[in-house]
Amino acid sequence: MADYDLLVIGSGPGGYVAAFRAAQLGMKTALVEKDATLGGTCLNVGCIPSKALLHSTEIFHIVKERGEAHGIKTGKLSSDIPALMKRKDEVVKQLNGGVAQLAKARKVEVLQGLGSLEGEGKVKVKGDDGEKTVSADHIIIATGSVPVELPFMKFDGKTIVSSTEAIAFDKIPGKLVVVGAGAIGLELGSVWARLGSEVTVVELLPQIAGAVDKDVAKMAERFFKKQGMAFELGAKVTGVAKEGKKTFLTAEKGDKELKFEADKILVAVGRKATTAGLTPDKAGVELDDRGRVKIDDHFRTSAKGIYAIGDVVAGPMLAHKAEEEAVACVELIAGKGGHCNYDVIPNVIYTEPEIACVGIGEDKAKEDKLEVNVGKFPFAANGRAIAVDATDGFVKIIADKKTDRILGAQIIGHGASELVAAIVTHMEYGGSAEDLGRTIHAHPTMSEAMKEAGLAVSKSAIHSM
Ligand code: NAI
């Protein structure tokens, strides 16, 4: 008999959720984690600490820029970076403890150490207190991802850094150059810009925020510029140059050579799957040409009894995608009908305003020649938004022309990350724009803008023309 019914390697949102769901279903479960704390990238150095910093710096920014208009007088405002970091660390610590407590309560055994596959059903765990080999009927690989490094300017942890260091600077960089205007670049660029850093974002593509619709990206760029961030789009980074004590990021744009002075350079050009130390080949687990574990539509790898989920497999690198795959994978192992709906995964950039998307965008619909109706409603026409100083942005609903079924939504605005959830639910149940438009939303709320955008699909929005 094997030591465990299920052994999960990696304790990020994919791994720990898999272990918890397995325990709920009565499996004897172990969770292998090489780091000292549970929670993986998301909890320790990703989603959670960045959201803590975004929140603190948003308060700072609002008080600084809008305090007087709201009748708040503070005298000279200043920041305290050690205090800011302390709060962020406490948030992380609280959640680390929460995951560990839940693991204990669910009788999930945590094995501290680096897990390596040793052939069918066997995993070696090399921890701080020695090495042991354990066996399991089923193994889930949830080893996640690491930041992509530019080969010509490797991370040095001091000047050329990844997000891991950029959430823990001990002082505000005078000049911060960010490479990549994706989620990490925009979020951490915002954090330091709000605190007074001179932030320049250099992006290869002609627009920021990846594949969002052009109107959303353009509007976001305008707002971020107003907040003091500078953008150099369509620029190819070429390297780092030293002139005396000064460091510069160099880039090319057409036939122009560009040079940006930098105290810190944050490289945020994506993440890549990692199986470092896992020795997948020993168990016959095949990887694709990008180092991701190959799986079928039931999360099965090429090796019997071994599955993979989350950032280490293909698909968007999002914690909630990993969590959903975790539940689906474990339920399939348990002989149930687990399923992950890849068409309805929200994607959020937590700047101010936030950018939240789900499903198909307007540009993509056009590109794919889909017949759609689009409804748009600006927050400037929403009473609550005016009352709370959050009139920037809009909600856009993309619906099938024939059936009116909602195919996607894009929201740019304050709290978009929370607002998008309602549209996700409508989409999950196959809802139409009319369904959304006829759903009663509390007044006054920002969420009424979604109802109105639903109505706007059939040109019947009440509060805008
Ligand atoms: P990303 O893929 O979101 O954005 C990277 C950006 O860098 C792209 O716009 C790309 O065009 C640009 N780029 C690539 N090579 C470049 C070069 N040589 N020079 C200039 N620009 C270049 O990657 P990011 O922001 O590093 O995030 C990594 C992963 O983590 C993503 O999959 C992201 O979805 C996820 N993540 C999600 C968050 C969220 O859900 N809010 C927050 C942070 C990360």
Side-chain angles (χ1 to χ4, degrees), residues 103 148 183 209 249 253 264 288 297 308 381 390 420:
V148 167
L249 178 92
K253 190 171 173 175
K264 299 276 184 193
D288 68 11
D297 56 5
V420 76

Side-chain angles (χ1 to χ4, degrees), residues 254-293:
D255 50 13
K256 261 196 310 188
E257 302 274 335
L258 306 172
K259 211 165 92 171
F260 307 93
E261 191 184 339
D263 296 306
K264 299 276 184 193
I265 300 171
L266 163 61
V267 179
V269 296
R271 298 180 61 88
K272 60 175 184 193
T274 179
T275 51
L278 185 71
T279 58
D281 45 318
K282 269 202 189 170
V285 171
E286 284 176 24
L287 307 184
D288 68 11
D289 55 355
R290 290 166 63 180
R292 301 175 298 195
V293 176

Side-chain angles (χ1 to χ4, degrees), residues 162-389:
S162 73
S163 51
T164 306
E165 292 78 27
I167 57 160
F169 290 152
D170 55 6
K171 59 177 199 276
I172 303 166
K175 291 180 196 307
L176 172 66
V177 176
V178 178
V179 184
I184 293 180
L186 293 174
E187 289 181 10
L188 294 182
S190 293
V191 162
W192 293 107
R194 289 169 188 173
L195 292 169
S197 197
E198 213 177 282
V199 176
T200 306
V201 183
V202 183
E203 164 64 49
L204 192 62
L205 298 177
Q207 76 165 46
I208 67 165
V212 301
D213 283 344
K214 278 187 219 69
D215 56 351
V216 176
K218 275 261 154 265
M219 185 178 262
E221 189 186 333
R222 223 174 52 232
F223 292 144
F224 300 152
K225 276 182 176 160
K226 249 179 30 195
Q227 291 166 22
M229 284 162 80
F231 291 92
E232 198 59 68
L233 305 181
K236 189 168 176 282
V237 170
T238 48
V240 173
K242 284 258 176 207
E243 281 177 26
K245 279 197 174 150
K246 288 184 176 167
T247 303
F248 294 86
L249 178 92
T250 58
E252 290 169 358
K253 190 171 173 175
D255 50 13
K256 261 196 310 188
E257 302 274 335
L258 306 172
K259 211 165 92 171
F260 307 93
E261 191 184 339
D263 296 306
K264 299 276 184 193
I265 300 171
L266 163 61
V267 179
V269 296
R271 298 180 61 88
K272 60 175 184 193
T274 179
T275 51
L278 185 71
T279 58
D281 45 318
K282 269 202 189 170
V285 171
E286 284 176 24
L287 307 184
D288 68 11
D289 55 355
R290 290 166 63 180
R292 301 175 298 195
V293 176
K294 282 196 207 170
I295 50 166
D296 66 8
D297 56 5
H298 278 43
F299 311 99
R300 290 178 292 219
T301 69
S302 50
K304 191 167 164 270
I306 306 184
Y307 307 76
I309 56 164
D311 282 12
V312 78
V313 303
M317 291 190 171
L318 297 169
H320 42 287
K321 175 253 194 190
E323 291 184 39
E324 217 48 40
E325 287 185 334
V327 170
C329 176
V330 170
E331 290 181 350
L332 287 167
I333 291 172
K336 296 179 174 292
H339 173 69
C340 176
N341 183 0
Y342 291 98
D343 292 334
V344 190
I345 300 180
N347 200 333
V348 178
I349 301 180
Y350 295 82
T351 43
E352 183 57 42
E354 292 180 339
I355 301 168
C357 308
V358 59
I360 295 170
E362 186 182 2
D363 295 352
K364 177 83 175 118
K366 273 196 193 127
E367 202 183 299
D368 292 354
K369 300 199 169 34
L370 299 177
E371 300 249 294
V372 295
N373 285 326
V374 174
K376 212 165 161 179
F377 189 84
F379 285 111
N382 173 277
R384 180 71 182 278
I386 294 171
V388 303
D389 233 355

